[in-house]
Amino acid sequence: MKKIIIRLMVVASAFTIFLPVCVSATTLQEYIDKVNQYQNEVNEANASINRTEEEITAAQNAITAAQQDVKDIANEIVSLREEIDESNEEIKQKSLETKQIFQYYQLSQGENTYLEYIFGADSITDLVYRVSIVEQLTEYNEQVTKELEELIENNKQKEKDLNKKTKELEKKQEDLKVQIQKLEGQVVDLQEGAVKASDQLKIYQEQVNYYRKQGCKPSDRIGVDCAKDNVAAGWYRPTVRGNISQWVGWTSVNLDGFHYGTDIWSDRGRSEKIYPIASGTISAITKDVYGALIVIIYHTDMNGKKWTSLYCHLSAYNPNIYVGMKVTPNTYIGYMGDTGYAFGVHLHLEVADCRLYDATDRNCSTWNKWTKYIKKRYNNGFRGAKTLLKLPSSWSSR
Ligand SMILES: [Zn+2]
């Protein structure tokens, strides 16, 4: 029994591996989901931008508050210093007063005025009285002076504390400025993300609108249940990740001096999937004389114009594709490779507004005509995939 279960599991896992994942055509709902996905991304990016901008405003307000605090502290320090000056003045006065007390009680000239005054008492009562008067007055002045000195000390300490606080506030302002810079950087990134997402949103929204006009319902498989003519409603990048290594045009690299396609490589190499650049019908799955694996797809655009796209050097085909198969930009046709005449793993993508190998197409019925036509179109300003779709020198999404 256990053996049987293991065998079943092996069979099941074999199926999981080899069962086609993407045989069924894309439904309109999948496009609607994409629209919603990118709409959410745009919304989230905008919400993040708003949140970040609020943080920036808060940080700016905190800086303004800190600046006000620094100003208040400076004023406080000024008044503390004024108090110190006043106290010093008062101390001077008190010491003057003390001197005056002595002068007041000075009964004769000489150095021992104080003692002479005290001992000049004519009775014990008078002596005690005189001693206490002088003591009280001098003690009082000493007390006042002591209090004033304490006040000065306190004010000096306060000034020290306030200076420390000022430094802290200045540090805080610096930190806030750094934070604002960081947040502003985040806003820029978020805005870039929002732009990318809204570009994608626009592409998918156009698709949804187009297929709805074609009478497609969300559950309809595009090209199967509706829009059976499988019109190319938009042009897409042939890989999720890609980098351009050569554009269409005159070159010294090729033997005949012209490069007929766009060369794309990926850091994922042979595991990079190749997708049709638009909806269409597979017209050939073939090899060239050098052994390069090739897929050719016919397209008809919304204006009824006929196109061919050609994907060369594939390492493997999607085993589920077949000639005559209706494909969408989401049906992968194979993997990037270096089969045939190729220096390194890449996709060589050719595209032109004619039907390659179609006997009724006078421009492109043969390979020779096709290459001549691509050159002719190049001289008219057509640059292949670069003309049809947004193709930067490097990308990481379709
Ligand atoms: Zn090439």
Side-chain angles (χ1 to χ4, degrees):
M1 186 65 184
K2 208 176 174 188
K3 260 187 187 170
I4 292 168
I5 288 171
I6 289 169
R7 260 185 216 159
L8 278 172
M9 278 170 69
V10 169
V11 169
S13 63
F15 263 104
T16 329
I17 292 162
F18 297 114
L19 212 66
V21 184
C22 195
V23 211
S24 61
T26 316
T27 62
L28 179 58
Q29 186 58 49
E30 287 170 60
Y31 282 95
I32 295 170
D33 291 345
K34 284 277 185 191
V35 167
N36 292 335
Q37 178 202 322
Y38 286 113
Q39 185 61 64
N40 284 340
E41 274 182 37
V42 170
N43 293 348
E44 275 168 28
N46 285 336
S48 299
I49 288 169
N50 286 343
R51 270 199 306 274
T52 314
E53 276 172 350
E54 274 167 22
E55 280 178 54
I56 290 172
T57 308
Q60 279 163 342
N61 289 342
I63 286 177
T64 310
Q67 282 167 341
Q68 189 53 50
D69 284 349
V70 169
K71 250 188 221 167
D72 292 346
I73 286 171
N75 288 337
E76 219 178 308
I77 287 172
V78 167
S79 61
L80 283 173
R81 282 179 185 165
E82 277 169 6
E83 242 181 333
I84 288 173
D85 289 345
E86 278 165 20
S87 300
N88 276 327
E89 199 50 47
E90 244 180 286
I91 286 170
K92 260 189 214 159
Q93 270 175 11
K94 284 293 157 196
S95 107
L96 199 69
E97 263 178 43
T98 307
K99 267 187 201 156
Q100 281 168 346
I101 290 163
F102 286 133
Q103 275 164 10
Y104 181 77
Y105 286 107
Q106 189 178 320
L107 296 178
S108 65
Q109 300 296 321
E111 285 174 6
N112 296 319
T113 326
Y114 176 62
L115 285 175
E116 278 169 19
Y117 162 65
I118 290 169
F119 291 113
D122 47 17
S123 67
I124 285 292
T125 318
D126 191 24
L127 177 73
V128 168
Y129 170 74
R130 288 184 182 208
V131 166
S132 81
I133 288 284
V134 171
E135 268 180 7
Q136 273 173 35
L137 285 169
T138 52
E139 258 172 36
Y140 172 74
N141 277 1
E142 271 167 21
Q143 185 56 37
V144 170
T145 303
K146 208 180 146 202
E147 278 167 11
L148 287 166
E149 277 166 352
E150 270 171 18
L151 181 76
I152 289 170
E153 269 320 297
N154 276 343
N155 280 8
K156 279 181 179 168
Q157 187 54 47
K158 269 190 205 162
E159 191 182 338
K160 235 187 196 174
D161 293 346
L162 288 170
N163 279 329
K164 201 179 150 200
K165 209 175 160 193
T166 301
K167 268 188 194 145
E168 280 168 11
L169 284 166
E170 277 162 0
K171 172 85 171 55
K172 193 180 163 192
Q173 286 181 65
E174 286 310 309
D175 292 349
L176 285 165
K177 277 177 195 163
V178 170
Q179 200 194 333
I180 286 173
Q181 254 180 352
K182 208 175 119 193
L183 289 168
E184 280 169 348
Q186 279 176 17
V187 169
V188 170
D189 290 347
L190 286 164
Q191 278 165 341
E192 274 172 19
V195 167
K196 270 185 198 161
S198 61
D199 281 350
Q200 294 294 313
L201 173 64
K202 205 177 142 229
I203 290 169
Y204 282 103
Q205 188 62 62
E206 276 170 8
Q207 301 276 309
V208 169
N209 295 346
Y210 174 78
Y211 288 126
R212 277 205 170 121
K213 253 186 227 162
Q214 295 287 303
C216 292
K217 290 188 269 319
S219 60
D220 282 352
R221 290 164 299 166
I222 288 158
V224 178
D225 303 319
C226 66
K228 284 182 190 164
D229 53 351
N230 208 33
V231 162
W235 301 95
Y236 295 82
R237 293 168 189 158
T239 55
V240 174
R241 295 226 297 245
N243 307 272
I244 300 294
S245 50
Q246 205 180 347
W247 299 106
V248 178
W250 298 100
T251 173
S252 56
V253 179
N254 288 48
L255 288 173
D256 65 348
F258 194 84
H259 187 237
Y260 297 92
T262 307
D263 283 349
I264 295 159
W265 62 274
S266 162
D267 55 352
R268 293 194 288 204
R270 287 187 179 80
S271 55
E272 189 69 52
K273 281 182 177 169
I274 309 293
Y275 296 89
I277 55 171
S279 292
T281 307
I282 294 179
S283 73
I285 301 168
T286 183
K287 281 182 188 176
D288 70 7
V289 288
Y290 304 103
L293 269 56
I294 293 173
V295 174
I296 300 171
I297 299 175
Y298 285 170
H299 312 277
T300 307
D301 71 16
M302 285 189 270
N303 303 318
K305 199 173 189 180
K306 289 174 172 163
W307 297 83
T308 301
S309 61
L310 179 148
Y311 310 80
C312 187
H313 304 305
L314 272 54
S315 58
Y317 300 119
N318 172 350
N320 304 295
I321 60 168
Y322 53 88
V323 173
M325 181 183 184
K326 307 254 192 233
V327 291
T328 74
N330 292 323
T331 323
Y332 90 95
I333 54 173
Y335 290 92
M336 198 177 267
D338 58 353
T339 53
Y341 188 69
F343 304 100
V345 174
H346 74 286
L347 168 69
H348 172 93
L349 168 68
E350 292 180 12
V351 54
D353 52 342
C354 64
R355 288 258 153 113
L356 173 58
Y357 297 130
D358 181 342
T360 64
D361 191 311
R362 61 190 175 87
N363 289 323
C364 299
S365 56
T366 67
W367 182 258
N368 273 345
K369 282 187 175 178
W370 164 261
T371 55
K372 264 188 206 150
Y373 187 68
I374 287 179
K375 260 189 204 169
K376 189 184 150 196
R377 294 292 287 117
Y378 180 84
N379 291 332
N380 294 339
F382 182 71
R383 295 289 179 268
K386 195 184 187 182
T387 301
L388 292 175
L389 55 117
K390 223 178 179 180
L391 218 48
S393 56
S394 179
W395 64 89
S396 55
S397 73
R398 295 185 72 211

mmCIF file of all heavy atoms in Angstrom, residues 241-256:
data_model
loop_
_atom_site.group_PDB
_atom_site.id
_atom_site.type_symbol
_atom_site.label_atom_id
_atom_site.label_comp_id
_atom_site.label_asym_id
_atom_site.label_seq_id
_atom_site.Cartn_x
_atom_site.Cartn_y
_atom_site.Cartn_z
ATOM 1 N N ARG A 241 12.218 40.577 -17.495
ATOM 2 C CA ARG A 241 13.467 41.318 -17.246
ATOM 3 C C ARG A 241 14.277 41.347 -18.526
ATOM 4 O O ARG A 241 14.323 40.351 -19.257
ATOM 5 C CB ARG A 241 14.279 40.618 -16.148
ATOM 6 C CG ARG A 241 13.540 40.667 -14.821
ATOM 7 C CD ARG A 241 14.384 41.058 -13.640
ATOM 8 N NE ARG A 241 15.469 40.191 -13.290
ATOM 9 C CZ ARG A 241 15.532 39.509 -12.138
ATOM 10 N NH1 ARG A 241 14.508 39.539 -11.312
ATOM 11 N NH2 ARG A 241 16.596 38.809 -11.850
ATOM 12 N N GLY A 242 14.890 42.451 -18.814
ATOM 13 C CA GLY A 242 15.656 42.511 -20.051
ATOM 14 C C GLY A 242 16.602 43.695 -20.112
ATOM 15 O O GLY A 242 16.427 44.692 -19.412
ATOM 16 N N ASN A 243 17.610 43.534 -20.966
ATOM 17 C CA ASN A 243 18.571 44.616 -21.228
ATOM 18 C C ASN A 243 18.879 44.575 -22.718
ATOM 19 O O ASN A 243 19.032 43.500 -23.296
ATOM 20 C CB ASN A 243 19.882 44.383 -20.482
ATOM 21 C CG ASN A 243 19.654 44.150 -19.002
ATOM 22 O OD1 ASN A 243 19.616 45.081 -18.231
ATOM 23 N ND2 ASN A 243 19.460 42.899 -18.621
ATOM 24 N N ILE A 244 18.975 45.732 -23.303
ATOM 25 C CA ILE A 244 19.278 45.782 -24.733
ATOM 26 C C ILE A 244 20.785 45.635 -24.940
ATOM 27 O O ILE A 244 21.570 46.341 -24.307
ATOM 28 C CB ILE A 244 18.815 47.137 -25.332
ATOM 29 C CG1 ILE A 244 17.316 47.329 -25.148
ATOM 30 C CG2 ILE A 244 19.218 47.234 -26.813
ATOM 31 C CD1 ILE A 244 16.442 46.363 -25.902
ATOM 32 N N SER A 245 21.186 44.711 -25.797
ATOM 33 C CA SER A 245 22.610 44.668 -26.155
ATOM 34 C C SER A 245 22.830 45.170 -27.575
ATOM 35 O O SER A 245 23.935 45.569 -27.932
ATOM 36 C CB SER A 245 23.196 43.268 -25.976
ATOM 37 O OG SER A 245 22.399 42.312 -26.612
ATOM 38 N N GLN A 246 21.776 45.148 -28.392
ATOM 39 C CA GLN A 246 21.913 45.745 -29.726
ATOM 40 C C GLN A 246 20.548 46.089 -30.310
ATOM 41 O O GLN A 246 19.612 45.303 -30.252
ATOM 42 C CB GLN A 246 22.654 44.782 -30.664
ATOM 43 C CG GLN A 246 23.341 45.537 -31.799
ATOM 44 C CD GLN A 246 24.074 44.621 -32.743
ATOM 45 O OE1 GLN A 246 24.294 43.446 -32.466
ATOM 46 N NE2 GLN A 246 24.456 45.139 -33.882
ATOM 47 N N TRP A 247 20.457 47.274 -30.874
ATOM 48 C CA TRP A 247 19.223 47.688 -31.539
ATOM 49 C C TRP A 247 19.257 47.264 -33.013
ATOM 50 O O TRP A 247 20.281 46.800 -33.505
ATOM 51 C CB TRP A 247 19.057 49.209 -31.486
ATOM 52 C CG TRP A 247 18.965 49.786 -30.102
ATOM 53 C CD1 TRP A 247 19.934 50.496 -29.444
ATOM 54 C CD2 TRP A 247 17.845 49.739 -29.217
ATOM 55 N NE1 TRP A 247 19.488 50.895 -28.210
ATOM 56 C CE2 TRP A 247 18.218 50.437 -28.039
ATOM 57 C CE3 TRP A 247 16.558 49.186 -29.299
ATOM 58 C CZ2 TRP A 247 17.344 50.591 -26.962
ATOM 59 C CZ3 TRP A 247 15.701 49.340 -28.216
ATOM 60 C CH2 TRP A 247 16.096 50.034 -27.067
ATOM 61 N N VAL A 248 18.170 47.498 -33.690
ATOM 62 C CA VAL A 248 18.112 47.273 -35.132
ATOM 63 C C VAL A 248 18.979 48.336 -35.820
ATOM 64 O O VAL A 248 18.972 49.485 -35.392
ATOM 65 C CB VAL A 248 16.651 47.409 -35.640
ATOM 66 C CG1 VAL A 248 16.588 47.222 -37.148
ATOM 67 C CG2 VAL A 248 15.733 46.423 -34.935
ATOM 68 N N GLY A 249 19.709 47.941 -36.853
ATOM 69 C CA GLY A 249 20.444 48.966 -37.591
ATOM 70 C C GLY A 249 21.774 48.507 -38.145
ATOM 71 O O GLY A 249 22.144 47.341 -38.017
ATOM 72 N N TRP A 250 22.476 49.448 -38.763
ATOM 73 C CA TRP A 250 23.773 49.168 -39.374
ATOM 74 C C TRP A 250 24.793 48.849 -38.291
ATOM 75 O O TRP A 250 24.805 49.470 -37.239
ATOM 76 C CB TRP A 250 24.228 50.352 -40.221
ATOM 77 C CG TRP A 250 23.265 50.604 -41.335
ATOM 78 C CD1 TRP A 250 22.290 51.545 -41.392
ATOM 79 C CD2 TRP A 250 23.156 49.840 -42.549
ATOM 80 N NE1 TRP A 250 21.573 51.444 -42.547
ATOM 81 C CE2 TRP A 250 22.079 50.395 -43.293
ATOM 82 C CE3 TRP A 250 23.844 48.737 -43.085
ATOM 83 C CZ2 TRP A 250 21.682 49.896 -44.526
ATOM 84 C CZ3 TRP A 250 23.451 48.250 -44.321
ATOM 85 C CH2 TRP A 250 22.376 48.825 -45.035
ATOM 86 N N THR A 251 25.624 47.849 -38.545
ATOM 87 C CA THR A 251 26.579 47.385 -37.547
ATOM 88 C C THR A 251 27.784 46.749 -38.227
ATOM 89 O O THR A 251 27.695 46.294 -39.362
ATOM 90 C CB THR A 251 25.931 46.357 -36.590
ATOM 91 O OG1 THR A 251 26.939 45.834 -35.763
ATOM 92 C CG2 THR A 251 25.274 45.226 -37.347
ATOM 93 N N SER A 252 28.884 46.727 -37.484
ATOM 94 C CA SER A 252 30.061 46.035 -38.022
ATOM 95 C C SER A 252 30.104 44.600 -37.533
ATOM 96 O O SER A 252 30.908 43.796 -37.971
ATOM 97 C CB SER A 252 31.329 46.773 -37.598
ATOM 98 O OG SER A 252 31.355 46.867 -36.193
ATOM 99 N N VAL A 253 29.201 44.292 -36.579
ATOM 100 C CA VAL A 253 29.227 42.961 -35.959
ATOM 101 C C VAL A 253 28.736 41.880 -36.927
ATOM 102 O O VAL A 253 29.308 40.808 -37.041
ATOM 103 C CB VAL A 253 28.373 42.955 -34.659
ATOM 104 C CG1 VAL A 253 28.374 41.572 -34.020
ATOM 105 C CG2 VAL A 253 28.918 43.989 -33.675
ATOM 106 N N ASN A 254 27.660 42.196 -37.662
ATOM 107 C CA ASN A 254 27.073 41.173 -38.534
ATOM 108 C C ASN A 254 27.775 41.112 -39.900
ATOM 109 O O ASN A 254 28.314 42.114 -40.371
ATOM 110 C CB ASN A 254 25.583 41.444 -38.731
ATOM 111 C CG ASN A 254 24.810 41.138 -37.473
ATOM 112 O OD1 ASN A 254 25.200 41.566 -36.397
ATOM 113 N ND2 ASN A 254 23.738 40.376 -37.621
ATOM 114 N N LEU A 255 27.705 39.935 -40.492
ATOM 115 C CA LEU A 255 28.412 39.711 -41.756
ATOM 116 C C LEU A 255 27.943 40.656 -42.858
ATOM 117 O O LEU A 255 28.748 41.213 -43.584
ATOM 118 C CB LEU A 255 28.234 38.253 -42.203
ATOM 119 C CG LEU A 255 29.022 37.225 -41.370
ATOM 120 C CD1 LEU A 255 28.642 35.817 -41.776
ATOM 121 C CD2 LEU A 255 30.539 37.436 -41.520
ATOM 122 N N ASP A 256 26.627 40.840 -42.955
ATOM 123 C CA ASP A 256 26.139 41.701 -44.034
ATOM 124 C C ASP A 256 25.969 43.155 -43.592
ATOM 125 O O ASP A 256 25.370 43.959 -44.288
ATOM 126 C CB ASP A 256 24.851 41.136 -44.652
ATOM 127 C CG ASP A 256 23.713 41.138 -43.665
ATOM 128 O OD1 ASP A 256 23.964 41.358 -42.455
ATOM 129 O OD2 ASP A 256 22.556 40.920 -44.083
#
